[in-house]
Amino acid sequence: MKQGVLLINLGTPGAPTAEAVRPYLRRFLGDPRVITVPRAIWLPILNLMILPKRPAESAAKYRQIWSPEFGSPLAHYTKQQAVQLQKQLGDDYQVAYAYSYSKPFIAEALKQLEDAGVQRLTIIPLYPQYSTTTIGSVMDDINRFYYRHPYVPELRIISGFAGRSDYLDLLAHNIQVELDQNQYDLVLMSFHGIPVSYAQSGDPYPRQCQATTDGVKVRLKTDVPIMQTYQSKFGPAEWLTPATDETVKGLPKKGVKRVLVVSPAFVADCLETLHELDVENREYFMDNGGEFFKVVRCFNADPAFTAVLKNIVLDK
């Protein structure tokens, strides 16, 4: 039986320009899993108020993280993760990757694997913690592709891996390396946020984030305090708190001058880690009296993370 693996991440614009960012944002912010406001209300706001201005603002930020060598960091590292996983699994598997909001789209990758004769498919959304906004959206795309399809392979969809020991071990290891090299007053674990209403409706994301933080705490050998926050608030709705940006602004006044920041919800560096955390929040911290601010890089192309993905595929 031919087996396949599909890695899925959020996506990225093809270039750091407003023209490239606009269709990406339209797909992302037009997803009813991401924005649950009724379409009749939200789509005019999106098309008339957000898309005329926000793409240029986002493009300016993308230009600051865009690599002259390989372009989008997220695209670069996602492809490397897929290539490395293919090598680790060998010829018995066919590994592909896709994005929810940019090319290659999920439907395109599923068609590619179908044409290759894959009969058993493991799908791994690259989000350790489940949220309706991420893994839920991925499942919608998968269901749309296979709805009334003439053939549906044996499917195994991984709905998060935050509770896995190998994921937590690797995350804690990367933090411990930094703690052993420098002195810190605080470890700040910054997760991507979601609106409070989503959690109240049953999204388990905040519980899984807390479980991740707790799992890291028991693995670290340090007396440095660990704090959990949420970043990337969008719109007027109430989001999970405490907010990362407001937190880092106030830390120096509390005597916290040296901070190590970790982003456990991301497995590849992207705009949220390289710019929002390492540029914007660094400035907030330093402008308010901070002295040292370090962001731990995501797993990216670390073979140890690829080994975690391999273990997921092999159900180890």
Side-chain angles (χ1 to χ4, degrees):
M1 180 181 289
K2 191 162 188 178
Q3 300 190 67
V5 180
L6 179 58
L7 305 180
I8 299 175
N9 213 321
L10 196 77
T12 175
T17 64
E19 292 75 20
V21 171
R22 185 170 290 107
Y24 169 74
L25 282 181
R26 179 181 288 112
R27 285 187 288 265
F28 176 47
L29 297 178
D31 186 340
R33 285 274 194 174
V34 175
I35 305 293
T36 60
V37 176
R39 301 294 88 188
I41 298 174
W42 173 245
L43 291 182
I45 296 174
L46 175 62
N47 290 316
L48 299 177
M49 298 176 64
I50 296 175
L51 290 179
K53 295 181 179 180
R54 191 176 177 90
E57 297 171 0
S58 295
K61 296 178 181 179
Y62 273 110
R63 282 194 289 274
Q64 294 183 55
I65 69 163
W66 215 256
S67 169
E69 301 172 26
F70 51 72
S72 164
L74 179 71
H76 174 71
Y77 291 123
T78 302
K79 182 176 181 180
Q80 283 194 303
Q81 288 166 356
V83 169
Q84 289 181 177
L85 184 58
Q86 181 69 75
K87 291 179 180 178
Q88 289 195 21
L89 288 171
D91 295 337
D92 291 338
Y93 289 82
Q94 178 160 335
V95 179
Y97 67 93
Y99 302 116
S100 291
Y101 307 112
S102 62
K103 288 182 172 293
F105 292 111
I106 293 172
E108 295 171 346
L110 291 173
K111 183 64 167 62
Q112 170 193 336
L113 293 165
E114 180 181 63
D115 291 344
V118 168
Q119 297 170 282
R120 178 182 293 161
L121 177 59
T122 299
I123 299 175
I124 307 178
L126 293 169
Y127 312 105
Q129 298 80 21
Y130 178 94
S131 173
T132 183
T133 61
T134 52
I135 297 176
S137 177
V138 166
M139 290 183 175
D140 288 345
D141 281 345
I142 295 167
N143 289 332
R144 274 191 289 270
F145 179 82
Y146 286 116
Y147 179 67
R148 293 186 177 177
H149 209 68
Y151 174 70
V152 179
E154 180 180 330
L155 290 175
R156 177 171 168 246
I157 305 173
I158 307 302
S159 58
F161 49 90
R164 290 186 60 93
S165 293
D166 48 6
Y167 159 76
L168 291 169
D169 289 345
L170 182 58
L171 183 59
H173 168 77
N174 290 351
I175 298 171
Q176 190 70 57
V177 168
E178 295 292 342
L179 290 174
D180 292 343
Q181 292 177 349
N182 291 288
Q183 288 187 331
Y184 293 95
D185 299 321
L186 179 72
V187 175
L188 190 67
M189 298 186 66
S190 177
F191 293 83
H192 195 290
I194 62 170
V196 170
S197 61
Y198 295 13
Q200 292 173 336
S201 297
D203 192 323
Y205 181 72
R207 296 198 305 274
Q208 295 195 9
C209 291
Q210 186 61 57
T212 301
T213 299
D214 293 343
V216 168
K217 281 183 179 179
V218 299
R219 287 166 167 80
L220 290 179
K221 299 176 181 178
T222 181
D223 294 326
V224 177
I226 299 172
M227 183 179 185
Q228 177 177 310
T229 59
Y230 295 96
Q231 64 183 90
S232 307
K233 183 181 186 299
F234 174 79
E238 180 185 3
W239 278 49
L240 297 175
T241 56
T244 300
D245 53 1
E246 293 303 317
T247 298
V248 300
K249 290 175 184 177
L251 287 175
K253 296 177 183 178
K254 299 177 181 179
V256 178
K257 302 288 188 175
R258 301 175 64 85
V259 174
L260 181 65
V261 182
V262 192
S263 48
F266 301 94
V267 301
D269 276 314
C270 54
L271 191 68
E272 288 79 2
T273 64
L274 296 174
H275 194 277
E276 184 180 355
L277 287 180
D278 213 4
V279 175
E280 295 175 18
N281 280 277
R282 174 187 297 278
E283 290 179 358
Y284 297 149
F285 184 70
M286 302 304 286
D287 288 347
N288 282 278
E291 296 175 358
F292 189 72
F293 187 94
K294 176 71 179 288
V295 178
V296 178
R297 295 276 66 87
C298 293
F299 297 134
N300 293 333
D302 185 348
F305 176 63
T306 310
V308 173
L309 297 176
K310 177 183 178 182
N311 289 339
I312 293 173
V313 173
L314 299 180
D315 200 19
K316 288 186 175 181

